[in-house]
PDB file of all heavy atoms in Angstrom:
ATOM      1  N   GLY R  44     -10.076  -5.426  -7.344  1.00  0.00           N
ATOM      2  CA  GLY R  44      -9.890  -3.973  -7.400  1.00  0.00           C
ATOM      3  C   GLY R  44      -8.590  -3.500  -6.775  1.00  0.00           C
ATOM      4  O   GLY R  44      -7.813  -4.291  -6.232  1.00  0.00           O
ATOM      5  N   ARG R  45      -8.371  -2.201  -6.908  1.00  0.00           N
ATOM      6  CA  ARG R  45      -7.157  -1.578  -6.359  1.00  0.00           C
ATOM      7  C   ARG R  45      -7.504  -0.766  -5.135  1.00  0.00           C
ATOM      8  O   ARG R  45      -8.654  -0.742  -4.701  1.00  0.00           O
ATOM      9  CB  ARG R  45      -6.519  -0.687  -7.417  1.00  0.00           C
ATOM     10  CG  ARG R  45      -5.872  -1.471  -8.551  1.00  0.00           C
ATOM     11  CD  ARG R  45      -4.519  -0.852  -8.938  1.00  0.00           C
ATOM     12  NE  ARG R  45      -3.797  -1.705  -9.871  1.00  0.00           N
ATOM     13  CZ  ARG R  45      -3.853  -1.581 -11.195  1.00  0.00           C
ATOM     14  NH1 ARG R  45      -4.605  -0.630 -11.722  1.00  0.00           N
ATOM     15  NH2 ARG R  45      -3.169  -2.378 -11.970  1.00  0.00           N
ATOM     16  N   LYS R  46      -6.509  -0.084  -4.591  1.00  0.00           N
ATOM     17  CA  LYS R  46      -6.665   0.788  -3.415  1.00  0.00           C
ATOM     18  C   LYS R  46      -8.020   1.505  -3.424  1.00  0.00           C
ATOM     19  O   LYS R  46      -8.398   2.103  -4.431  1.00  0.00           O
ATOM     20  CB  LYS R  46      -5.540   1.837  -3.447  1.00  0.00           C
ATOM     21  CG  LYS R  46      -5.071   2.286  -2.086  1.00  0.00           C
ATOM     22  CD  LYS R  46      -3.865   3.221  -2.237  1.00  0.00           C
ATOM     23  CE  LYS R  46      -3.469   3.794  -0.910  1.00  0.00           C
ATOM     24  NZ  LYS R  46      -2.845   2.860   0.005  1.00  0.00           N
ATOM     25  N   GLY R  47      -8.754   1.427  -2.353  1.00  0.00           N
ATOM     26  CA  GLY R  47     -10.053   2.093  -2.276  1.00  0.00           C
ATOM     27  C   GLY R  47     -11.217   1.137  -2.493  1.00  0.00           C
ATOM     28  O   GLY R  47     -12.307   1.352  -1.983  1.00  0.00           O
ATOM     29  N   ALA R  48     -10.986   0.057  -3.242  1.00  0.00           N
ATOM     30  CA  ALA R  48     -12.067  -0.922  -3.475  1.00  0.00           C
ATOM     31  C   ALA R  48     -12.308  -1.703  -2.168  1.00  0.00           C
ATOM     32  O   ALA R  48     -11.367  -1.935  -1.404  1.00  0.00           O
ATOM     33  CB  ALA R  48     -11.671  -1.867  -4.601  1.00  0.00           C
ATOM     34  N   PRO R  49     -13.562  -2.102  -1.891  1.00  0.00           N
ATOM     35  CA  PRO R  49     -13.887  -2.646  -0.562  1.00  0.00           C
ATOM     36  C   PRO R  49     -13.080  -3.877  -0.144  1.00  0.00           C
ATOM     37  O   PRO R  49     -12.760  -4.028   1.040  1.00  0.00           O
ATOM     38  CB  PRO R  49     -15.378  -2.965  -0.657  1.00  0.00           C
ATOM     39  CG  PRO R  49     -15.762  -2.815  -2.082  1.00  0.00           C
ATOM     40  CD  PRO R  49     -14.756  -1.951  -2.738  1.00  0.00           C
ATOM     41  N   TYR R  50     -12.759  -4.763  -1.086  1.00  0.00           N
ATOM     42  CA  TYR R  50     -12.070  -6.003  -0.682  1.00  0.00           C
ATOM     43  C   TYR R  50     -10.628  -6.066  -1.186  1.00  0.00           C
ATOM     44  O   TYR R  50     -10.029  -7.130  -1.237  1.00  0.00           O
ATOM     45  CB  TYR R  50     -12.855  -7.228  -1.178  1.00  0.00           C
ATOM     46  CG  TYR R  50     -14.335  -7.128  -0.864  1.00  0.00           C
ATOM     47  CD1 TYR R  50     -15.276  -7.003  -1.885  1.00  0.00           C
ATOM     48  CD2 TYR R  50     -14.776  -7.125   0.462  1.00  0.00           C
ATOM     49  CE1 TYR R  50     -16.631  -6.883  -1.599  1.00  0.00           C
ATOM     50  CE2 TYR R  50     -16.133  -7.002   0.757  1.00  0.00           C
ATOM     51  CZ  TYR R  50     -17.049  -6.879  -0.271  1.00  0.00           C
ATOM     52  OH  TYR R  50     -18.376  -6.754   0.014  1.00  0.00           O
ATOM     53  N   ALA R  51     -10.078  -4.895  -1.579  1.00  0.00           N
ATOM     54  CA  ALA R  51      -8.698  -4.862  -2.086  1.00  0.00           C
ATOM     55  C   ALA R  51      -7.716  -5.039  -0.928  1.00  0.00           C
ATOM     56  O   ALA R  51      -8.034  -4.721   0.227  1.00  0.00           O
ATOM     57  CB  ALA R  51      -8.444  -3.541  -2.796  1.00  0.00           C
ATOM     58  N   THR R  52      -6.540  -5.534  -1.244  1.00  0.00           N
ATOM     59  CA  THR R  52      -5.524  -5.779  -0.208  1.00  0.00           C
ATOM     60  C   THR R  52      -5.212  -4.502   0.581  1.00  0.00           C
ATOM     61  O   THR R  52      -5.108  -4.529   1.803  1.00  0.00           O
ATOM     62  CB  THR R  52      -4.242  -6.330  -0.866  1.00  0.00           C
ATOM     63  OG1 THR R  52      -4.621  -7.442  -1.673  1.00  0.00           O
ATOM     64  CG2 THR R  52      -3.223  -6.770   0.158  1.00  0.00           C
ATOM     65  N   ASP R  53      -5.077  -3.368  -0.135  1.00  0.00           N
ATOM     66  CA  ASP R  53      -4.762  -2.110   0.560  1.00  0.00           C
ATOM     67  C   ASP R  53      -5.852  -1.723   1.552  1.00  0.00           C
ATOM     68  O   ASP R  53      -5.570  -1.140   2.600  1.00  0.00           O
ATOM     69  CB  ASP R  53      -4.547  -0.978  -0.451  1.00  0.00           C
ATOM     70  CG  ASP R  53      -3.192  -1.097  -1.124  1.00  0.00           C
ATOM     71  OD1 ASP R  53      -2.182  -1.098  -0.405  1.00  0.00           O
ATOM     72  OD2 ASP R  53      -3.154  -1.223  -2.356  1.00  0.00           O
ATOM     73  N   THR R  54      -7.106  -2.039   1.209  1.00  0.00           N
ATOM     74  CA  THR R  54      -8.218  -1.720   2.110  1.00  0.00           C
ATOM     75  C   THR R  54      -8.091  -2.546   3.390  1.00  0.00           C
ATOM     76  O   THR R  54      -8.310  -2.041   4.506  1.00  0.00           O
ATOM     77  CB  THR R  54      -9.564  -2.024   1.402  1.00  0.00           C
ATOM     78  OG1 THR R  54      -9.538  -1.410   0.119  1.00  0.00           O
ATOM     79  CG2 THR R  54     -10.747  -1.527   2.212  1.00  0.00           C
ATOM     80  N   LEU R  55      -7.720  -3.812   3.241  1.00  0.00           N
ATOM     81  CA  LEU R  55      -7.574  -4.688   4.410  1.00  0.00           C
ATOM     82  C   LEU R  55      -6.400  -4.212   5.279  1.00  0.00           C
ATOM     83  O   LEU R  55      -6.479  -4.218   6.512  1.00  0.00           O
ATOM     84  CB  LEU R  55      -7.364  -6.140   3.962  1.00  0.00           C
ATOM     85  CG  LEU R  55      -8.504  -6.716   3.101  1.00  0.00           C
ATOM     86  CD1 LEU R  55      -8.141  -8.083   2.548  1.00  0.00           C
ATOM     87  CD2 LEU R  55      -9.797  -6.799   3.914  1.00  0.00           C
ATOM     88  N   ILE R  56      -5.340  -3.753   4.616  1.00  0.00           N
ATOM     89  CA  ILE R  56      -4.177  -3.241   5.368  1.00  0.00           C
ATOM     90  C   ILE R  56      -4.589  -1.990   6.152  1.00  0.00           C
ATOM     91  O   ILE R  56      -4.269  -1.842   7.333  1.00  0.00           O
ATOM     92  CB  ILE R  56      -2.997  -2.953   4.412  1.00  0.00           C
ATOM     93  CG1 ILE R  56      -2.481  -4.267   3.810  1.00  0.00           C
ATOM     94  CG2 ILE R  56      -1.872  -2.208   5.129  1.00  0.00           C
ATOM     95  CD1 ILE R  56      -1.455  -4.098   2.709  1.00  0.00           C
ATOM     96  N   ASP R  57      -5.340  -1.096   5.484  1.00  0.00           N
ATOM     97  CA  ASP R  57      -5.790   0.132   6.155  1.00  0.00           C
ATOM     98  C   ASP R  57      -6.687  -0.187   7.349  1.00  0.00           C
ATOM     99  O   ASP R  57      -6.630   0.486   8.374  1.00  0.00           O
ATOM    100  CB  ASP R  57      -6.548   1.040   5.175  1.00  0.00           C
ATOM    101  CG  ASP R  57      -5.601   1.711   4.193  1.00  0.00           C
ATOM    102  OD1 ASP R  57      -4.377   1.655   4.437  1.00  0.00           O
ATOM    103  OD2 ASP R  57      -6.073   2.267   3.189  1.00  0.00           O
ATOM    104  N   LEU R  58      -7.494  -1.227   7.192  1.00  0.00           N
ATOM    105  CA  LEU R  58      -8.383  -1.627   8.288  1.00  0.00           C
ATOM    106  C   LEU R  58      -7.553  -1.916   9.538  1.00  0.00           C
ATOM    107  O   LEU R  58      -7.873  -1.463  10.638  1.00  0.00           O
ATOM    108  CB  LEU R  58      -9.154  -2.887   7.848  1.00  0.00           C
ATOM    109  CG  LEU R  58     -10.077  -3.538   8.851  1.00  0.00           C
ATOM    110  CD1 LEU R  58     -11.289  -2.649   9.069  1.00  0.00           C
ATOM    111  CD2 LEU R  58     -10.549  -4.903   8.325  1.00  0.00           C
ATOM    112  N   ALA R  59      -6.475  -2.632   9.367  1.00  0.00           N
ATOM    113  CA  ALA R  59      -5.623  -2.966  10.511  1.00  0.00           C
ATOM    114  C   ALA R  59      -4.905  -1.724  11.027  1.00  0.00           C
ATOM    115  O   ALA R  59      -4.846  -1.479  12.231  1.00  0.00           O
ATOM    116  CB  ALA R  59      -4.613  -4.029  10.105  1.00  0.00           C
ATOM    117  N   LYS R  60      -4.404  -0.896  10.088  1.00  0.00           N
ATOM    118  CA  LYS R  60      -3.644   0.305  10.497  1.00  0.00           C
ATOM    119  C   LYS R  60      -4.521   1.262  11.291  1.00  0.00           C
ATOM    120  O   LYS R  60      -4.086   1.872  12.258  1.00  0.00           O
ATOM    121  CB  LYS R  60      -3.102   1.031   9.257  1.00  0.00           C
ATOM    122  CG  LYS R  60      -1.788   0.462   8.754  1.00  0.00           C
ATOM    123  CD  LYS R  60      -1.152   1.402   7.757  1.00  0.00           C
ATOM    124  CE  LYS R  60       0.075   0.762   7.134  1.00  0.00           C
ATOM    125  NZ  LYS R  60       0.301   1.249   5.777  1.00  0.00           N
ATOM    126  N   ASN R  61      -5.791   1.384  10.878  1.00  0.00           N
ATOM    127  CA  ASN R  61      -6.684   2.345  11.532  1.00  0.00           C
ATOM    128  C   ASN R  61      -7.059   1.942  12.946  1.00  0.00           C
ATOM    129  O   ASN R  61      -7.651   2.721  13.678  1.00  0.00           O
ATOM    130  CB  ASN R  61      -7.950   2.547  10.698  1.00  0.00           C
ATOM    131  CG  ASN R  61      -7.612   3.218   9.374  1.00  0.00           C
ATOM    132  OD1 ASN R  61      -6.541   3.805   9.245  1.00  0.00           O
ATOM    133  ND2 ASN R  61      -8.489   3.111   8.393  1.00  0.00           N
ATOM    134  N   GLU R  62      -6.734   0.703  13.312  1.00  0.00           N
ATOM    135  CA  GLU R  62      -7.087   0.252  14.662  1.00  0.00           C
ATOM    136  C   GLU R  62      -6.137   0.787  15.730  1.00  0.00           C
ATOM    137  O   GLU R  62      -6.371   0.609  16.918  1.00  0.00           O
ATOM    138  CB  GLU R  62      -7.041  -1.276  14.703  1.00  0.00           C
ATOM    139  CG  GLU R  62      -8.236  -1.904  14.044  1.00  0.00           C
ATOM    140  CD  GLU R  62      -8.536  -3.240  14.653  1.00  0.00           C
ATOM    141  OE1 GLU R  62      -7.587  -4.026  14.819  1.00  0.00           O
ATOM    142  OE2 GLU R  62      -9.705  -3.469  14.996  1.00  0.00           O
ATOM    143  N   CYS R  63      -5.027   1.410  15.311  1.00  0.00           N
ATOM    144  CA  CYS R  63      -4.043   2.006  16.219  1.00  0.00           C
ATOM    145  C   CYS R  63      -3.400   1.010  17.183  1.00  0.00           C
ATOM    146  O   CYS R  63      -2.902   1.384  18.228  1.00  0.00           O
ATOM    147  CB  CYS R  63      -4.674   3.133  17.049  1.00  0.00           C
ATOM    148  SG  CYS R  63      -5.427   4.394  16.066  1.00  0.00           S
ATOM    149  N   VAL R  64      -3.486  -0.268  16.891  1.00  0.00           N
ATOM    150  CA  VAL R  64      -2.749  -1.263  17.674  1.00  0.00           C
ATOM    151  C   VAL R  64      -1.899  -2.000  16.641  1.00  0.00           C
ATOM    152  O   VAL R  64      -2.335  -2.161  15.510  1.00  0.00           O
ATOM    153  CB  VAL R  64      -3.684  -2.348  18.293  1.00  0.00           C
ATOM    154  CG1 VAL R  64      -3.091  -2.950  19.538  1.00  0.00           C
ATOM    155  CG2 VAL R  64      -5.092  -1.852  18.485  1.00  0.00           C
ATOM    156  N   ASP R  65      -0.715  -2.406  17.049  1.00  0.00           N
ATOM    157  CA  ASP R  65       0.129  -3.136  16.108  1.00  0.00           C
ATOM    158  C   ASP R  65      -0.456  -4.520  15.855  1.00  0.00           C
ATOM    159  O   ASP R  65      -0.562  -5.323  16.771  1.00  0.00           O
ATOM    160  CB  ASP R  65       1.540  -3.289  16.693  1.00  0.00           C
ATOM    161  CG  ASP R  65       2.494  -2.342  16.011  1.00  0.00           C
ATOM    162  OD1 ASP R  65       2.054  -1.659  15.062  1.00  0.00           O
ATOM    163  OD2 ASP R  65       3.661  -2.283  16.443  1.00  0.00           O
ATOM    164  N   THR R  66      -0.868  -4.792  14.601  1.00  0.00           N
ATOM    165  CA  THR R  66      -1.372  -6.137  14.284  1.00  0.00           C
ATOM    166  C   THR R  66      -0.162  -7.056  14.136  1.00  0.00           C
ATOM    167  O   THR R  66       0.790  -6.715  13.442  1.00  0.00           O
ATOM    168  CB  THR R  66      -2.182  -6.105  12.969  1.00  0.00           C
ATOM    169  OG1 THR R  66      -3.123  -5.043  13.066  1.00  0.00           O
ATOM    170  CG2 THR R  66      -2.912  -7.413  12.730  1.00  0.00           C
ATOM    171  N   HIS R  67      -0.207  -8.211  14.755  1.00  0.00           N
ATOM    172  CA  HIS R  67       0.916  -9.148  14.640  1.00  0.00           C
ATOM    173  C   HIS R  67       1.011  -9.677  13.209  1.00  0.00           C
ATOM    174  O   HIS R  67      -0.013  -9.816  12.533  1.00  0.00           O
ATOM    175  CB  HIS R  67       0.726 -10.323  15.602  1.00  0.00           C
ATOM    176  CG  HIS R  67       0.965  -9.935  17.021  1.00  0.00           C
ATOM    177  ND1 HIS R  67       0.813 -10.800  18.065  1.00  0.00           N
ATOM    178  CD2 HIS R  67       1.343  -8.765  17.565  1.00  0.00           C
ATOM    179  CE1 HIS R  67       1.090 -10.172  19.196  1.00  0.00           C
ATOM    180  NE2 HIS R  67       1.414  -8.943  18.916  1.00  0.00           N
ATOM    181  N   PRO R  68       2.230  -9.966  12.753  1.00  0.00           N
ATOM    182  CA  PRO R  68       2.386 -10.418  11.363  1.00  0.00           C
ATOM    183  C   PRO R  68       1.499 -11.618  11.012  1.00  0.00           C
ATOM    184  O   PRO R  68       0.944 -11.689   9.915  1.00  0.00           O
ATOM    185  CB  PRO R  68       3.868 -10.802  11.283  1.00  0.00           C
ATOM    186  CG  PRO R  68       4.529  -9.997  12.347  1.00  0.00           C
ATOM    187  CD  PRO R  68       3.519  -9.821  13.435  1.00  0.00           C
ATOM    188  N   ARG R  69       1.316 -12.557  11.955  1.00  0.00           N
ATOM    189  CA  ARG R  69       0.486 -13.730  11.660  1.00  0.00           C
ATOM    190  C   ARG R  69      -0.966 -13.323  11.395  1.00  0.00           C
ATOM    191  O   ARG R  69      -1.593 -13.744  10.424  1.00  0.00           O
ATOM    192  CB  ARG R  69       0.544 -14.729  12.826  1.00  0.00           C
ATOM    193  CG  ARG R  69      -0.327 -15.950  12.601  1.00  0.00           C
ATOM    194  CD  ARG R  69      -0.373 -16.848  13.838  1.00  0.00           C
ATOM    195  NE  ARG R  69      -1.345 -17.899  13.665  1.00  0.00           N
ATOM    196  CZ  ARG R  69      -2.652 -17.751  13.863  1.00  0.00           C
ATOM    197  NH1 ARG R  69      -3.138 -16.582  14.248  1.00  0.00           N
ATOM    198  NH2 ARG R  69      -3.478 -18.765  13.662  1.00  0.00           N
ATOM    199  N   GLU R  70      -1.476 -12.434  12.229  1.00  0.00           N
ATOM    200  CA  GLU R  70      -2.867 -11.990  12.064  1.00  0.00           C
ATOM    201  C   GLU R  70      -3.001 -11.093  10.826  1.00  0.00           C
ATOM    202  O   GLU R  70      -4.012 -11.106  10.142  1.00  0.00           O
ATOM    203  CB  GLU R  70      -3.348 -11.251  13.319  1.00  0.00           C
ATOM    204  CG  GLU R  70      -3.808 -12.172  14.441  1.00  0.00           C
ATOM    205  CD  GLU R  70      -2.678 -12.996  15.068  1.00  0.00           C
ATOM    206  OE1 GLU R  70      -1.535 -12.492  15.100  1.00  0.00           O
ATOM    207  OE2 GLU R  70      -2.934 -14.136  15.498  1.00  0.00           O
ATOM    208  N   MET R  71      -1.938 -10.319  10.561  1.00  0.00           N
ATOM    209  CA  MET R  71      -1.961  -9.450   9.378  1.00  0.00           C
ATOM    210  C   MET R  71      -2.102 -10.310   8.111  1.00  0.00           C
ATOM    211  O   MET R  71      -2.875  -9.972   7.197  1.00  0.00           O
ATOM    212  CB  MET R  71      -0.636  -8.669   9.349  1.00  0.00           C
ATOM    213  CG  MET R  71      -0.652  -7.455   8.484  1.00  0.00           C
ATOM    214  SD  MET R  71      -1.864  -6.262   9.063  1.00  0.00           S
ATOM    215  CE  MET R  71      -2.270  -5.510   7.508  1.00  0.00           C
ATOM    216  N   ASP R  72      -1.386 -11.425   8.056  1.00  0.00           N
ATOM    217  CA  ASP R  72      -1.473 -12.307   6.887  1.00  0.00           C
ATOM    218  C   ASP R  72      -2.851 -12.940   6.771  1.00  0.00           C
ATOM    219  O   ASP R  72      -3.398 -13.081   5.672  1.00  0.00           O
ATOM    220  CB  ASP R  72      -0.388 -13.391   6.949  1.00  0.00           C
ATOM    221  CG  ASP R  72       0.888 -12.912   6.276  1.00  0.00           C
ATOM    222  OD1 ASP R  72       1.006 -11.691   6.035  1.00  0.00           O
ATOM    223  OD2 ASP R  72       1.766 -13.750   5.979  1.00  0.00           O
ATOM    224  N   LEU R  73      -3.399 -13.309   7.923  1.00  0.00           N
ATOM    225  CA  LEU R  73      -4.738 -13.906   7.923  1.00  0.00           C
ATOM    226  C   LEU R  73      -5.730 -12.898   7.333  1.00  0.00           C
ATOM    227  O   LEU R  73      -6.566 -13.241   6.488  1.00  0.00           O
ATOM    228  CB  LEU R  73      -5.096 -14.244   9.375  1.00  0.00           C
ATOM    229  CG  LEU R  73      -6.200 -15.245   9.643  1.00  0.00           C
ATOM    230  CD1 LEU R  73      -5.993 -16.513   8.846  1.00  0.00           C
ATOM    231  CD2 LEU R  73      -6.226 -15.578  11.145  1.00  0.00           C
ATOM    232  N   LEU R  74      -5.585 -11.640   7.762  1.00  0.00           N
ATOM    233  CA  LEU R  74      -6.474 -10.581   7.274  1.00  0.00           C
ATOM    234  C   LEU R  74      -6.265 -10.349   5.771  1.00  0.00           C
ATOM    235  O   LEU R  74      -7.216 -10.326   4.990  1.00  0.00           O
ATOM    236  CB  LEU R  74      -6.197  -9.290   8.067  1.00  0.00           C
ATOM    237  CG  LEU R  74      -6.960  -8.046   7.660  1.00  0.00           C
ATOM    238  CD1 LEU R  74      -8.459  -8.228   7.882  1.00  0.00           C
ATOM    239  CD2 LEU R  74      -6.475  -6.831   8.456  1.00  0.00           C
TER     240      LEU R  74
END
Side-chain angles (χ1 to χ4, degrees):
R45 289 222 171 94
K46 212 175 174 72
Y50 312 113
T52 308
D53 284 302
T54 310
L55 301 172
I56 293 172
D57 286 347
L58 176 71
K60 276 193 187 150
N61 294 342
E62 284 208 313
C63 304
V64 206
D65 255 356
T66 310
H67 287 178
R69 178 186 172 278
E70 278 68 31
M71 198 62 210
D72 271 15
L73 199 50
L74 177 64

